[in-house]
Amino acid sequence: MTVGLGTRLATLLPRGRVRPLPHVSAVAADLGALLLEVHQQTGDTDMPEPLPWILVCAGDVDAEQAWQLADAVSAARDLPIAIVLPANDATRAAFPAAENIATAPGTLVTLPQLGEEPVQLQRLTDEQYRQYPHALQVAEEPAEPAAGTWQLAEAHEQTAAAPRPEPHPLLRIRTSDGEAASDPGSPYPALLASVGAPRTMKADPPAPTDTPEGEVVPGETPGPAAKTGDAADGLAAEPDEPAADAGDEQPSAPEISVLGPLTVSGITHSGHGPKVAALAALIHLRPGRTAEFLCTAMDPVNPWSTRTLQIRLSEIRSRLGAAPDGQPYLPRPKHGYSFHPDVTSDWRRFQDLATRGLADPQGGTGDLENALALLRGKPFEGRDFSWADAVQQEMISRIIDTAHTLAVRHTEGDQPDLDAARRAALRGLEIDETAEVLYRDWMNIEWGAGNTAGVRKAIARLQQVARTYDISLEPVTEQLIDLVLADRTAPSRTGRA
């Protein structure tokens, strides 16, 4: 229970484990109710052990409230109770034997319950506290349903090595002969038109380096386009290797890379480089925003001044230069700040590849492989931007959907590729270790391969993650674990577990 931690935080804390109360008198009443319940169950051999009762109070406590709480605690005897109160005259008088904990910054304290070694109390800065309620607020927002081609991703109820259900309704779109003839290279022209999936791929720009725009490193030549076969072997594309066939985009166009540590072509990591790169990513992912929005988003606690913003924008323009059409890659704003259309990102290329692969169940596996090959780590790895919380979660969700769909596809047909399926599932788990659907894929893949050690490794890792994050596993996952641990005959690659 908490008292005095702020009204906004109280409404956002996870209700299943933390319960905010308005004042200490309400806490004393709750403890009294607990004592009565324990007393009434005395002698009952089936009575479960009482859960720990913990109070963290950051609000003012007067003498009457302190004595009410002290009376309740004295009656608790051996119940597991812990109380943290502000140290003032009232609490010292009511709890004379309580330990005093120094909370001044940089002060080491020794807590007998934790051993003899001194510990450093954790502290939250104003910025960290602001980010914490924001993250809780984002977590409470309902998930948005998939739209467009993403509706074609395999449902999470569909597990790798299990049969595919009936085709998705979007795949049943009827096309006229004229539509099919207009795009003979695509088996689903009407589908692509209805969901807006791209039909051509853009070139993969060079990896971000500290080399100024237009300057070529001696002895360096552009890398060849990544092949589908390389992606199928589970090898991530090198940063300077294109992950798709070249298209119409100029190879010198800047790229903003967010599928891993944030980097921007032509912007170094020295000086103000990280802030400039963050501003560029914000403009790319939130186009059309005003100067006021950018100033606040870049530092919500101490918003940038307009002069600071203009300096950083000027640096972006000078670093990125101009497009072949003569327009700067960051034009002067007309209705908000937006980049030139040639400026791209690995996230945009991931979406292009993944949506194209999802729209082609028969031949799109290579596109899904190439999409996963773009990943260099977790989106925005190593940096936390409050404005990126929602888009980061969207990226992770799309990555998991792509990895899951790829794992399912690799286990279908008469000649399933369980190695490739395993690589897809594990690649997704590198991005989100809590993705339960990928653990089900992993367990089913190892079970189908007859790899008992692999099955137990997947289960052990999932259970460890569940304990770490205090996650309750879904019933379908529990059923699958019970099934594979029963050591029954492994399912066929086309049978449902």
Side-chain angles (χ1 to χ4, degrees):
M1 279 157 290
T2 64
V3 174
L5 293 188
T7 55
R8 183 184 180 201
L9 183 61
T11 60
L12 296 174
L13 288 172
R15 299 303 179 86
R17 301 186 60 85
V18 180
R19 180 154 54 99
L21 292 176
H23 44 69
V24 176
S25 298
V27 174
D30 183 88
L31 181 55
L34 173 64
L35 296 177
L36 178 60
E37 179 183 352
V38 172
H39 176 72
Q40 291 174 341
Q41 294 179 345
T42 300
D44 187 352
T45 57
D46 295 331
M47 183 184 71
E49 289 291 330
L51 294 174
W53 188 95
I54 303 171
L55 166 66
V56 178
C57 177
D60 295 331
V61 181
D62 58 32
E64 181 179 357
Q65 292 173 332
W67 282 110
Q68 284 180 345
L69 193 57
D71 289 341
V73 171
S74 64
R77 296 184 178 86
D78 297 330
L79 291 180
I81 291 177
I83 297 177
V84 181
L85 300 171
N88 57 31
D89 293 340
T91 55
R92 288 192 182 97
F95 299 93
E99 300 176 28
N100 287 297
I101 303 174
T103 59
T107 303
L108 294 176
V109 298
T110 301
L111 302 175
Q113 297 87 345
L114 301 181
E116 299 180 356
E117 294 294 328
V119 297
Q120 178 76 54
L121 298 182
Q122 291 181 323
R123 304 182 66 86
L124 288 179
T125 64
D126 290 342
E127 170 64 9
Q128 290 170 331
Y129 177 80
R130 186 203 60 75
Q131 292 179 358
Y132 180 53
H134 178 78
L136 290 174
Q137 188 173 13
V138 171
E140 287 294 320
E141 294 178 358
E144 297 182 0
T149 314
W150 289 106
Q151 298 177 67
L152 300 175
E154 292 288 351
H156 286 199
E157 293 76 14
Q158 175 75 10
T159 307
R164 183 194 298 270
E166 288 298 316
H168 192 281
L170 284 178
L171 295 178
R172 301 197 194 98
I173 296 177
R174 295 183 178 275
T175 60
S176 64
D177 295 338
E179 289 175 327
S182 65
D183 187 7
S186 171
Y188 301 105
L191 169 63
L192 295 175
S194 67
V195 298
R199 302 188 189 187
T200 60
M201 291 305 303
K202 296 183 178 180
D204 189 351
T209 66
D210 292 345
T211 306
E213 284 291 326
E215 187 173 313
V216 180
V217 179
E220 183 177 9
T221 58
K227 298 180 180 179
T228 301
D230 296 336
D233 290 336
L235 302 176
E238 292 296 326
D240 57 349
E241 289 184 355
D245 295 335
D248 297 331
E249 185 185 2
Q250 296 294 329
S252 60
E255 177 170 285
I256 300 170
S257 300
V258 297
L259 299 181
L262 172 61
T263 59
V264 180
S265 302
I267 297 179
T268 66
H269 295 286
S270 60
H272 294 293
K275 292 183 179 180
V276 176
L279 177 59
L282 171 59
I283 294 173
H284 178 70
L285 295 171
R286 294 283 187 268
R289 298 306 198 269
T290 64
E292 181 182 2
F293 175 90
L294 298 180
C295 289
T296 302
M298 288 303 299
D299 193 342
V301 177
N302 298 299
W304 286 7
S305 66
T306 304
R307 177 177 175 77
T308 298
L309 176 64
Q310 294 304 323
I311 292 174
R312 302 291 174 259
L313 292 172
S314 177
E315 188 170 350
I316 292 178
R317 292 190 182 97
S318 62
R319 286 283 187 175
L320 301 189
D325 61 7
Q327 294 295 321
Y329 281 119
L330 180 58
R332 299 290 177 181
K334 296 181 179 179
H335 304 287
Y337 289 90
S338 299
F339 278 112
H340 188 281
D342 283 355
V343 176
T344 187
S345 65
D346 54 358
W347 168 234
R348 180 177 295 171
R349 291 193 295 121
F350 178 93
Q351 291 177 295
D352 289 347
L353 286 165
T355 53
R356 192 170 71 173
L358 292 173
D360 185 0
Q362 305 303 321
T365 301
D367 287 326
L368 298 182
E369 292 276 11
N370 287 334
L372 289 186
L374 294 174
L375 303 178
R376 297 172 294 113
K378 187 176 181 179
F380 298 99
E381 187 170 303
R383 299 289 300 276
D384 290 322
F385 304 109
S386 58
W387 55 265
D389 287 344
V391 69
Q392 182 187 43
Q393 187 56 51
E394 179 188 359
M395 291 175 182
I396 293 174
S397 298
R398 298 310 182 207
I399 291 170
I400 299 307
D401 285 344
T402 301
H404 170 58
T405 300
L406 192 57
V408 171
R409 288 190 183 182
H410 276 309
T411 59
E412 294 177 329
D414 296 333
Q415 295 181 332
D417 189 343
L418 297 184
D419 288 337
R422 181 189 298 110
R423 283 196 298 271
L426 294 180
R427 190 69 182 102
L429 288 173
E430 290 176 1
I431 305 304
D432 182 7
E433 64 176 347
T434 66
E436 201 168 324
V437 61
L438 295 182
Y439 285 104
R440 293 197 294 269
D441 289 340
W442 186 12
M443 286 185 283
N444 241 345
I445 291 166
E446 302 295 4
W447 196 28
N451 183 5
T452 304
V455 171
R456 295 187 179 278
K457 180 179 179 180
I459 294 174
R461 181 172 166 186
L462 172 58
Q463 291 175 337
Q464 177 60 43
V465 168
R467 288 191 297 268
T468 300
Y469 294 98
D470 193 19
I471 298 173
S472 297
L473 299 181
E474 298 175 14
V476 63
T477 305
E478 296 281 11
Q479 294 171 5
L480 180 58
I481 292 175
D482 292 341
L483 182 63
V484 297
L485 289 182
D487 199 23
R488 302 175 188 174
T489 303
S492 66
R493 294 189 178 99
T494 58
R496 181 179 296 275

